[in-house]
Amino acid sequence: MTENAQQQPSEPNTELPTQYAPADVEGPLYERWVERGYFEADAKSDKPPFTVVIPPPNVTGSLHLGHAFEHTLIDALTRRKRMQGFETLWQPGMDHAGIATQNVVERELGKEGKSRHDLGREAFVERVWQWKAESGGQISGQMRRLGDGVAWSRERFTMDEGLSQSVQTIFKKLYDDELIYRAERIINWCPRCLTAISDIEVEYQDDDGELVSMKYGEGDDSIVVATTRAETMLGDTAVAVHPSDERYKHLVGKLIRLPLTERSIPVVADEHVDPEFGTGAVKVTPAHDPNDFEIGQRHNLPNIAVMDEHAVITVPGPFQGLDRLEARSAIVGALRAEGRIVAEKRPYSHSVGHCSRCKTTIEPRLSMQWWVKVGPLAKAAGDAVRDGRVKIHPQEMEKRYFDWVDNLHDWCISRQLWWGHRIPVWYGPNGEIVCVGPDDEAPTGEGWHQDTDVLDTWFSSGLWPFSTLGWPEQTESLAKFYPNSVLVTGYDILFFWVARMMMFGLYAMDGTPPFHTIALHGMVRDQFGKKMSKSFGNAVNPLDWMDKYGSDALRFTLARGANPGVDVPIGEDWVQGSRNFANKIWNATRFALMNGATVEGELPPAEELSATDRWILSRLNATVAEVDALYDDFQFAKLSDALFHFAWDEVFDWYVELSKTTFMAGGEPAKVSGRVLGEVLDVTLRLLHPIVPFVTETLWTTLTGGESVVIAEWPKAVSVPGAEAAGGFRDTAAEQEIEKLQQVITEVRRFRADQGLQPGQRVPARLTLDGTALAPHEAAIRQLLRLQPEGESFSATATLPVAGATVALDLSGTIDFVAERKRLAKDLAAAEKEKAQANGKLGNEAFLAKAPDNVVEKIRGRLAKADEDIARIQAQLERLPEA
């Protein structure tokens, strides 16, 4: 807490505008929070630490709903922990996003008719830095709009000097420990971006292609193979069959002629082949397929590359110089001319990998690259979860984590780009290889040159939890804030980012994992559950909704949909509903302030409190306990729902309404209820603050006169003088009493609505409350139900027994009972007809056998609705007096 936070509260200002205008409030409030240093973290503090890193957004990016969702959850956690007295660090920063950023700048150059090669490497990299300074990182401003409570003074960038030192340090350490090596392997290659790309950067989709079956060899020594990439047959070095496949035993070990070439290739037996799939024989192209490469390694097959980095055929002959797709068609035509095409299937839909950046079809390609030997690192990452040092939430996600880390292949970390951390390896004129650490001098002299590749973006972001704290230097921040308390991120990058942070954190930090808990959330989808995408036309700019409804409304909508590990549907009408909730909070607090709500002085002793006062304080304490438990379990949806219903239903719709007669009467009871209402609002606003920070800040400071709810104390159970109890004040008797009162009011309101009475229409009534706990509430019941005293001509035309009490109403002169009975009889007949039709369909076995499940479920829903309508109408008819 800052020094300013220690100031005594000023006199509360009870004046609030009649309407809440988020656009007028949010920007100035956020800047005030930042200026006062509320979000900064002090490594010298003796408070317990709570640390969360922001999953670093790309420098090229802008705020989308996925960011807004994730940031809302992290902000809620950190705001609560700050209020609980923790030294809270939410670490901000951005990722340099190698391929994405290079593509952006190359497109800009293209508009000038230039390429990066026209500039040269050094000038191009300088151009990227210039672009970052001018256009990159707009997401930071958007984070402020959302209310992100990050420590801006600590903002980092994966290419800044300190993080670059971290990257070079761990590369050197891994290299010296023989966990980084250089080798020729199959990688994902983008012929457009001209670089290797990671698995996470490959997007798979079903494309229409062709499946061609081709005959290799002659006569009894022939064999049929099928492929979707006919052009790669120029690089085949074997045909593989399963060792137990009797059809091909006579061929194993023989050479067969490879069509369109002057080569012969062997038939090999390999367990990888599925004898039940296709012909049970597969062509083996080790230089252009990862599975084929593994077969080739097992059988010492040569690797023949047939394409260059642009996916153009390089094999001398008639196909040389053709693009891969042109070559595919030409090769199939040539094989057809030789009579070697056995079958062709077009279109043939199959899964094809595409570069996530430029959408080009990726090409598996044999290439010399740098690799991390992940075996021991992945084992450590798995062990940390198995032995409980790291918890994955929800727990059922552990299986997916283990499926990944237990089966990791070595990681290709080199990229053929210019923007990124350049690999710190120098090559000498006589084949020397020297890895250079940050404190080492790079070799100089004739013939020495640095590796031209850069590192995969995930390499540097994998260091994020400790590199941002100053590692490899042993800083105060590193000692204070590592390991992180929790990582909040989407399940979609559990395998890619999370696993890499686990591997690097355990390796660099002497076996200490980077975080205690991994809290996984789902993806934001549209209101119909469909993935949001510009191509689908359902993508939403969250800034539009924030402009229209306020940031609090968007945040509350997102939090209320956040069940752990489950996707989150969201629609504009839900954001509008959350805006209505913010307005409800505003209006109710304004009403409370106008009617004497205050936080001044202690709560009155229990004996001075009405049952209504005791009930709301008891419910308040129950809500505090529930919200705390749900926060600790990352149940954002449930805690948001609990807060919504407590605030709207119990505080605003019940307590405020029940207290109106007390406030109108004035005197000491009004003062007591004013103090209770002030206490309830104070605690409720603090409970709501982490999720809806702007409106609660305005209301809380107005109510209490405190400096800021950001640095206010997180609520504990409220105690009432004279009724001290462990866990705070609870009064089950008062809760039961008010529950009965609610039953009476709810039932009579429902009856009034069923009879078509206007909400404000007054009706004579006789209340029989003697002998029940409801007797003290007669004035409130009459006020809320618009029930006037019975008069001399009172005639009970409807009697409602509820909760041990009786409410008799005189509806004569208010309702035409004959017309009402006719209307209800007509509605009853319609409901009974609907029931009969639904029962008829559900009793028809032929219909049930053919109808889709969703149709059957819809009819069952109609039947249930008809049953409800029949019961409701019959009850209404029973209550109506005879004409």
Side-chain angles (χ1 to χ4, degrees), residues 435-466:
C435 181
V436 176
D439 298 324
D440 301 332
E441 290 289 335
T444 57
E446 186 177 349
W448 283 93
H449 64 279
Q450 187 179 358
D451 196 300
T452 57
D453 289 352
V454 300
L455 287 163
D456 178 12
T457 298
W458 295 102
F459 191 93
S460 52
S461 62
L463 314 180
W464 193 247
F466 52 94

Side-chain angles (χ1 to χ4, degrees), residues 724-730:
E724 288 79 6
F729 175 79
R730 293 301 300 271

Side-chain angles (χ1 to χ4, degrees), residues 43-121:
K44 299 180 185 296
S45 167
D46 57 3
K47 297 178 184 177
F50 183 83
T51 317
V52 183
V53 294
I54 190 173
N58 287 352
V59 68
T60 59
S62 59
L63 194 73
H64 57 64
L65 271 179
H67 288 126
F69 173 55
E70 186 168 77
H71 290 202
T72 294
L73 304 188
I74 300 174
D75 198 41
L77 287 178
T78 53
R79 284 178 182 269
R80 173 176 176 255
K81 286 296 182 180
R82 190 177 294 112
M83 295 171 74
Q84 286 181 315
F86 285 78
E87 193 62 37
T88 303
L89 169 60
W90 183 9
Q91 173 65 55
M94 286 183 292
D95 192 285
H96 65 280
I99 293 178
T101 306
Q102 180 156 319
N103 280 347
V104 167
V105 178
E106 285 196 84
R107 282 196 295 270
E108 292 297 313
L109 284 174
K111 295 175 183 176
E112 302 170 15
K114 298 178 182 178
S115 74
R116 60 182 163 121
H117 300 285
D118 293 323
L119 270 66
R121 182 168 194 146

Side-chain angles (χ1 to χ4, degrees), residues 791-842:
E792 293 182 4
S793 60
F794 179 82
S795 174
T797 57
T799 302
L800 306 176
V802 56
T806 302
V807 180
L809 304 173
D810 183 357
L811 302 178
S812 58
T814 306
I815 297 175
D816 183 339
F817 296 123
V818 173
E820 184 65 11
R821 278 191 169 278
K822 286 183 179 179
R823 183 185 70 80
L824 289 173
K826 184 178 179 181
D827 290 347
L828 181 61
E832 288 173 337
K833 181 180 179 181
E834 176 73 4
K835 179 178 180 178
Q837 290 176 341
N839 272 328
K841 290 184 177 180
L842 293 174

Side-chain angles (χ1 to χ4, degrees), residues 1 37-45 47-55 71 73-93 143 148-156 464-471 475-488 514-515 710:
M1 188 178 290
Y38 293 158
F39 305 139
E40 296 303 324
D42 183 3
K44 299 180 185 296
S45 167
K47 297 178 184 177
F50 183 83
T51 317
V52 183
V53 294
I54 190 173
H71 290 202
L73 304 188
I74 300 174
D75 198 41
L77 287 178
T78 53
R79 284 178 182 269
R80 173 176 176 255
K81 286 296 182 180
R82 190 177 294 112
M83 295 171 74
Q84 286 181 315
F86 285 78
E87 193 62 37
T88 303
L89 169 60
W90 183 9
Q91 173 65 55
M143 287 166 59
D148 286 3
V150 299
W152 286 112
S153 69
R154 292 172 172 266
E155 187 175 11
R156 303 303 300 268
W464 193 247
F466 52 94
S467 64
T468 52
L469 298 173
W471 187 89
T475 64
E476 287 182 318
S477 290
L478 188 64
K480 178 74 174 180
F481 296 113
Y482 186 91
N484 289 190
S485 307
V486 61
L487 174 74
V488 180
F515 17 74
V710 176

